[in-house]
Amino acid sequence: MRSDALVSVAVATYNGERYLPQQLDSIYRQTYRNIEVVATDDCSQDKTVQILERYRKKYGLKYFVNDENLGYAKNFERAASLCSGDYIAFCDQDDIFFSDKIETLVREIGEYSLIYSDATLIDVDGAEFAPSYMRYVNFPMLT
């Protein structure tokens, strides 16, 4: 795998104004720099689209507003279909990426076609309540 591979970050939004700026800031603070961010909005009724426009102007974020509400899964499918990267990282609108997340995934993917990572769970105030999502939901761990 190339160390300069383009990584697309696919973001599906819907009424996400509360968390979206913090999420997008975490993506644009990545130590891995060769990224594009592609967002699809699912007919939000809040200020989500205005926030996406602000990040388009500042960073070049690409965003698209759906003509009709597609729902969570179809909205992510649309976002992925608009990505042009060698790899796609999916990001929910309330996720916050650690600054080295993409760099770590690119380094670790090797010859695999899919890689995933665990997550730390935080509440609406940013306080950690579970250090591992996989343990929190009793996801079978490989040893």
Side-chain angles (χ1 to χ4, degrees):
M1 117 77 331
R2 299 185 347 248
S3 62
D4 64 340
L6 177 63
V7 176
S8 298
V9 180
V11 178
T13 62
Y14 177 72
N15 291 338
E17 73 176 304
R18 182 174 184 181
Y19 303 107
L20 193 55
Q22 191 174 8
Q23 179 227 27
L24 292 173
D25 287 343
S26 79
I27 294 170
Y28 285 110
R29 281 194 303 263
Q30 290 297 297
T31 56
Y32 190 86
R33 305 305 301 165
N34 195 18
I35 63 171
E36 71 168 356
V37 181
V38 177
T40 50
D41 183 72
D42 211 15
C43 304
S44 290
Q45 301 299 308
D46 63 1
K47 294 181 180 164
T48 296
V49 174
Q50 292 93 319
I51 295 167
L52 294 173
E53 176 61 18
R54 191 170 73 228
Y55 281 81
R56 182 196 66 79
K57 288 178 180 175
K58 186 172 183 179
Y59 296 107
L61 174 140
K62 300 172 187 173
Y63 75 90
F64 306 86
V65 178
N66 298 334
D67 294 329
E68 62 183 356
N69 188 277
L70 301 177
Y72 179 77
K74 293 288 185 188
N75 195 27
F76 256 121
E77 286 178 21
R78 181 162 190 245
S81 75
L82 296 166
C83 291
S84 59
D86 300 297
Y87 296 102
I88 300 173
F90 292 93
C91 189
D92 286 324
Q93 66 186 8
D94 63 348
D95 286 356
I96 301 170
F97 279 9
F98 287 118
S99 63
D100 63 343
K101 178 182 175 88
I102 295 176
E103 179 181 3
T104 300
L105 293 174
V106 168
R107 181 181 64 244
E108 296 297 325
I109 196 164
E111 297 302 315
Y112 295 105
S113 59
L114 175 70
I115 191 169
Y116 65 92
S117 63
D118 200 354
T120 300
L121 299 179
I122 59 174
D123 64 19
V124 296
D125 298 316
E128 180 182 312
F129 68 87
S132 169
Y133 170 77
M134 291 182 198
R135 286 190 179 93
Y136 186 77
V137 298
N138 294 317
F139 189 83
M141 304 290 278
L142 298 174
T143 57

